Amino acid sequence: MGDYANYLVPERYRIDAPERGDMERRMIGWMQKNGWLKLGKESDHPKILSKGGGWSVTASGSRHMHPPAYHKEKVDGYAQWMRAQGELTGPADRPQLTPKGMAKVYGTGGPDAVSRPFSVEAWLEEQGVFGGVAVEVIVEGKGLFPCDGGEPGEVICPKCGADVVEHFMEMVETWYSAEGYPPVPCPECGAASEIRDYKMDMPWGFSQISFAFWNTVGDLSEDFVAEFAAELGEPVRRVYIKI
């Protein structure tokens, strides 16, 4: 299926290094304090976070960051799969591992295997299944965080309403190579607008920092995005990326 992420990107183009560092400390600290993140193990997300594992989303964080059905579907689906594999037995509210499940989870099975209560949710958290969070920083130059697939399917001028998607990549190049952060003229009406104000069906991010929620159980909820922006103290846009 590949790796995917919901990026939360501030609307500001330029954020200097000291403030970027402060943003990272504040926002990661906020999520850790609330029990939504924990320090990941080296094996959790080595390709998309870091060799050290980055930050893993906890079960509590997964429940909080997404619509409730997303988290429940993940846990229930895995529990059903374990039952189908003969690894889990007992009632849904008090599942127990079978000897086969015991061998999978703890590396050993035995006659007492089915007597041990087992939390599928806690097991998935331990395995890092609920995803991870990485902070990505553009150290030099302007920041670009393209949407999945690179080019949006529609880009609407905020002044005249024309769809300028066929010119969009050239417009971005003009903005990126220019000195400073100048407004970019619409190829149709000639009026200049901030590049971030062109309305895209699949938004891009234009900033020097982003917070990437990798391989979580689904899209972040609107409530969480609003809560994140309020804690950050400025607007953010959500950018979906798949690799």
Side-chain angles (χ1 to χ4, degrees):
M1 182 173 71
D3 296 309
Y4 60 91
N6 284 270
Y7 276 53
L8 297 184
V9 186
E11 290 282 27
R12 274 192 294 156
Y13 297 133
R14 179 174 178 174
I15 301 173
D16 292 333
E19 189 176 3
R20 293 196 301 263
D22 177 67
M23 276 186 173
E24 177 172 354
R25 287 188 294 271
R26 284 196 298 112
M27 299 310 293
I28 295 298
W30 169 65
M31 288 185 280
Q32 286 182 312
K33 181 179 178 181
N34 282 290
W36 304 334
L37 295 183
K38 66 179 183 179
L39 193 62
K41 302 189 298 296
E42 183 172 337
S43 60
D44 282 351
H45 314 285
K47 289 191 295 184
I48 58 177
L49 298 185
S50 68
K51 187 175 180 180
W55 295 277
S56 288
V57 177
T58 64
S60 175
S62 182
R63 289 193 299 270
H64 185 82
M65 293 172 183
H66 308 92
Y70 288 16
H71 178 82
K72 186 176 187 301
E73 181 180 5
K74 182 74 171 184
V75 175
D76 289 353
Y78 197 83
Q80 292 172 9
W81 183 84
M82 290 185 73
R83 288 181 184 277
Q85 298 300 308
E87 299 168 351
L88 203 63
T89 188
D93 60 340
R94 284 186 60 80
Q96 295 174 315
L97 290 170
T98 65
K100 181 178 179 182
M102 196 75 161
K104 174 181 179 176
V105 173
Y106 298 112
T108 181
D112 64 337
V114 297
S115 68
R116 299 192 181 188
F118 177 71
S119 169
V120 175
E121 184 183 66
W123 165 247
L124 292 178
E125 177 182 304
E126 178 65 22
Q127 300 305 302
V129 170
F130 298 130
V133 175
V135 180
E136 297 190 17
V137 171
I138 307 300
V139 178
E140 295 182 4
K142 300 174 185 178
L144 287 177
F145 295 95
C147 67
D148 179 27
E151 187 174 348
E154 181 181 77
V155 178
I156 304 299
C157 172
K159 301 291 176 59
C160 71
D163 185 355
V164 295
V165 66
E166 63 182 287
H167 306 286
F168 180 66
M169 300 304 286
E170 182 180 347
M171 294 164 65
V172 171
E173 176 60 32
T174 296
W175 174 83
Y176 189 82
S177 60
E179 187 73 24
Y181 303 90
V184 180
C186 168
E188 296 295 329
C189 69
S193 299
E194 298 290 339
I195 191 68
R196 62 191 172 205
D197 289 343
Y198 284 87
K199 296 177 174 60
M200 293 166 268
D201 60 339
M202 296 185 70
W204 283 32
F206 301 91
S207 186
Q208 292 178 302
I209 188 171
S210 72
F211 297 83
F213 293 74
W214 281 103
N215 293 346
T216 63
V217 300
D219 285 344
L220 303 176
S221 70
E222 295 296 335
D223 287 345
F224 177 72
V225 174
E227 183 180 17
F228 187 97
E231 183 68 24
L232 185 64
E234 59 188 276
V236 297
R237 66 173 58 188
R238 178 167 37 187
V239 179
Y240 184 80
I241 293 178
K242 185 175 181 179
I243 60 174

